[in-house]
Amino acid sequence: MTITRTSSHSSRGSQKVESHATLPSNTTDTNVQNSGELKRGLKARHLSMISIAGTIGTGLFLASGASIAQAGPLGALIAYVMIGSMVFFMMTSLGEMATLIPTAGSFNTYAARFVDPALGFALGVNYFLNWAITVAVEMAAAALILQFWVTSDTLPGWVWAFIFLSFMVFINVLSVQAFGEGEFWFSVIKVLTVIIFIIVGILVDAGAIGGDKIGFRNWAIEGAPIHNGFGGILGVFLVAGFSFQGTELIGIAAGESENPRKNVPRAIKQVFWRILLFYIVAIFVIGLVIPFNDPNLLSNGGVDKEAIAISPFTLVLQKAFKPASHIMNAVILITVLSAGNSGMYASTRTLYMLAKDGKAPRIFARINKRGIPMPALGFTALIAAIAYITSLFGAGEVYNWLLNISSISGFIAWAGIAVSHYRFRRSYVAQGGELDRLPYRASFYPFGPIYALLLCTVVICGQGYSEFTKPDPKALNLVASYIGLPFFFLVYISYKLYYKTKMVPLMECDFSVSNLSEAPMGEFAPEGSVLEGKNPDM
């Protein structure tokens, strides 16, 4: 069977665009949207904050303490710097592709166009399930967090979970602007929390609060500043990697951005400073103020009442604000709501684009007048609800296996972005494209995507590190650590064998784009490419 590759917006993928033609005007674009296109309603501030929302989460607020306990203050800092650098290069790779070809399919579409349609399909299925299951995880987390104020005897946790799910669906049903507005304000609260924490932490370390000038005292205690050597740093790699999951959401949001070729580069350029401020500086401050051997840092990063009470953020903020545990509980609830809201959005758009490309049932490609793919949204909510319900029965074995399958999905997506960008740039140049004409160009190519791919591979392979280092490692736990990998390859190989797909030749890679208004296409197109209207026969 032969595969016919089309644009990510298949209803217009066969059109040839003349050299230096302009994309459809606003009037034309609106007509297209009403007949089944996503609306470009995300403003620059929405896009900027969506990338922040994907960076700041429970990984920073709760799990950062365990990272310092495992690797020491300097060891944790080294791990976060290395993973942060990987995320930076990965995001610049995604930014280069997303500004030239802004589509809700994001890296799934790019993989299908520049590497292999089977890879695009596998990444899409992988990413959809990852975020749908994440919504279920956040439902369970919200129920636990609310028990801080309301006991389960007053209102069962499952009721809170489904109230939470209903709220997420409601936000996503309204419009893409409503989603963007929600993420904007969620992010503002999280950013203010981190900034206040850093200021208070510095004042505590300097002795201005509490009267004890700590300085670098906690870096000089026995076992510091690097604890457990390279093994400790490697262990923190995994935690740090999970903490940064979601930064790639900006690539999906680019498909509904008002002006992606201006707004996406602006948001991508801010990633470095966000990583530096929100993670590196925060981890540095925690390491200064709290000794790495403090028992309170040994929390596993869970979202229960006890974990929030002893989170490093709570411990530091308590020195300035007595009700810090209540404040942090509210912030973490907002964080969980933001993660679930983003997960609902990402899963819905991924499923929509799979259907749009003919890789999922066509019903999921239907869109209402507000530009919302309602069938895809409903199915995502159903999968999330089913996944959550599995946690309520027995010992939750099915739920735990679902979590294990999705645990490395984000890292697989990052690896897919690196591979896709490597091929994207090679194809762009091969088809006669001039690098100076790219609306955004990733720095340090090809080092960037290669470095990101290698480090991402290390993180994926290190999933079972903690189990391997135990005196008596259990085979079942090792299988659970890596089960997401064979699942991904099963989907990839099945699609490849059934459709007999092959790697896309560089001269046949598709640079076409749709649903983008008032932007000169030919200005950035490689000569002789699909974008120039000289697409080779596929």
Side-chain angles (χ1 to χ4, degrees):
M1 179 177 293
T2 317
I3 291 295
T4 303
R5 293 183 294 106
T6 63
S7 163
S8 61
H9 298 273
S10 55
S11 60
R12 298 170 64 187
S14 60
Q15 294 183 6
K16 303 287 197 259
V17 182
E18 296 300 327
S19 176
H20 301 288
T22 57
L23 282 162
S25 65
N26 285 333
T27 304
T28 306
D29 195 55
T30 301
N31 292 335
V32 172
Q33 288 172 353
N34 289 339
S35 65
E37 289 285 0
L38 299 172
K39 291 184 181 293
R40 291 193 175 273
L42 293 175
K43 302 181 184 299
R45 63 186 179 89
H46 293 151
L47 208 62
S48 179
M49 284 300 190
I50 284 171
S51 59
I52 292 179
T55 305
I56 305 174
T58 54
L60 176 60
F61 292 137
L62 296 178
S64 53
S67 299
I68 293 173
Q70 182 171 0
L74 181 57
L77 204 59
I78 291 172
Y80 273 88
V81 166
M82 291 186 68
I83 294 298
S85 66
M86 177 192 76
V87 172
F88 171 74
F89 284 120
M90 181 273 297
M91 288 299 293
T92 59
S93 291
L94 179 60
E96 181 171 302
M97 295 185 289
T99 49
L100 187 64
I101 311 173
T103 169
S106 191
F107 45 87
N108 312 313
T109 298
Y110 306 144
R113 291 187 180 195
F114 303 110
V115 186
D116 185 340
L119 180 62
F121 176 73
L123 285 174
V125 171
N126 171 78
Y127 203 66
F128 166 75
L129 288 176
N130 172 44
W131 279 109
I133 294 171
T134 296
V135 172
V137 173
E138 306 306 342
M139 289 169 64
L144 284 172
I145 291 169
L146 286 164
Q147 288 178 12
F148 190 89
W149 297 297
V150 182
T151 65
S152 56
D153 294 333
T154 305
L155 197 65
W158 67 266
V159 176
W160 283 121
F162 279 95
I163 291 174
F164 184 70
L165 177 63
S166 300
F167 182 75
M168 288 187 292
V169 171
F170 175 72
I171 291 178
N172 280 271
V173 161
L174 290 177
S175 66
V176 69
Q177 293 97 325
F179 163 78
E181 202 66 31
E183 286 303 294
F184 176 82
W185 290 109
F186 293 152
S187 298
V188 167
I189 294 171
K190 292 191 287 186
V191 167
L192 287 176
T193 301
V194 176
I195 291 174
I196 291 171
F197 166 79
I198 291 173
I199 293 172
V200 171
I202 291 173
L203 292 176
V204 169
D205 187 67
I209 295 179
D212 180 17
K213 187 175 181 180
I214 301 172
F216 281 85
R217 182 199 311 160
N218 291 326
W219 284 49
I221 61 178
E222 186 179 356
I226 297 178
H227 187 56
N228 292 326
F230 176 74
I233 295 175
L234 180 60
V236 175
F237 271 9
L238 310 182
V239 179
F242 282 116
S243 298
F244 285 114
Q245 296 282 309
T247 51
E248 74 287 343
L249 280 172
I250 192 172
I252 292 177
E256 294 175 89
S257 170
E258 281 185 343
N259 189 349
R261 286 181 177 160
K262 178 181 179 182
N263 297 339
V264 172
R266 181 185 301 170
I268 293 292
K269 289 173 183 176
Q270 294 170 358
V271 166
F272 172 77
W273 299 109
R274 293 184 193 122
I275 291 173
L276 180 66
L277 175 63
F278 299 134
Y279 271 92
I280 309 306
V281 175
I283 294 291
F284 177 68
V285 169
I286 295 171
L288 286 177
V289 176
I290 305 175
F292 83 93
N293 54 7
D294 188 320
N296 288 327
L297 293 183
L298 295 176
S299 167
N300 61 4
V303 293
D304 53 75
K305 187 188 304 185
E306 291 75 17
I308 293 171
I310 61 174
S311 97
F313 274 68
T314 305
L315 294 174
V316 172
L317 291 176
Q318 273 178 339
K319 298 180 183 296
F321 310 103
K322 293 301 181 185
S325 58
H326 288 275
I327 295 172
M328 282 309 303
N329 198 70
V331 170
I332 292 169
L333 179 61
I334 290 170
T335 297
V336 166
L337 179 60
S338 174
N341 191 40
S342 297
M344 186 69 72
Y345 173 81
S347 282
T348 298
R349 270 36 178 203
T350 300
L351 180 57
Y352 161 77
M353 287 307 301
L354 285 172
K356 191 86 171 175
D357 288 345
K359 296 172 181 174
R362 297 293 297 177
I363 188 174
F364 296 128
R366 294 180 182 177
I367 287 184
N368 66 13
K369 292 182 179 179
R370 296 190 303 277
I372 305 299
M374 290 299 295
L377 177 59
F379 187 71
T380 298
L382 177 63
I383 294 297
I386 292 173
Y388 172 75
I389 290 172
T390 61
S391 69
L392 304 179
F393 295 98
E397 289 89 351
V398 175
Y399 179 71
N400 290 332
W401 279 102
L402 288 174
L403 288 180
N404 290 327
I405 289 175
S406 66
S407 63
I408 61 174
S409 295
F411 299 114
I412 292 174
W414 290 356
I417 290 171
V419 172
S420 298
H421 178 235
Y422 181 78
R423 293 269 304 169
F424 167 92
R425 178 74 75 86
R426 290 187 62 201
S427 175
Y428 183 84
V429 173
Q431 294 188 29
E434 298 176 9
L435 298 181
D436 291 340
R437 296 166 68 191
L438 284 169
Y440 173 78
R441 183 165 61 174
S443 306
F444 304 106
Y445 179 92
F447 170 79
I450 293 175
Y451 171 77
L453 177 61
L454 290 177
L455 204 53
C456 205
T457 302
V458 170
V459 174
I460 291 174
C461 293
Q463 290 296 303
Y465 172 78
S466 61
E467 189 65 28
F468 277 119
T469 55
K470 291 180 180 178
D472 184 26
K474 299 186 182 302
L476 187 61
N477 292 340
L478 289 173
V479 171
S481 298
Y482 295 100
I483 189 64
L485 209 53
F487 174 80
F488 170 79
F489 282 114
L490 176 64
V491 175
Y492 169 74
I493 293 171
S494 298
Y495 189 94
K496 190 171 185 66
L497 292 178
Y498 185 81
Y499 289 105
K500 298 180 174 60
T501 65
K502 296 180 179 179
M503 182 174 287
V504 183
L506 295 178
M507 293 303 295
E508 296 182 13
C509 290
D510 183 1
F511 286 87
S512 63
V513 65
S514 67
N515 193 30
L516 181 64
S517 60
E518 297 181 345
M521 293 171 69
E523 179 183 350
F524 306 114
E527 295 180 5
S529 71
V530 173
L531 209 53
E532 285 282 329
K534 303 174 184 177
N535 181 26
D537 185 19
M538 299 184 199

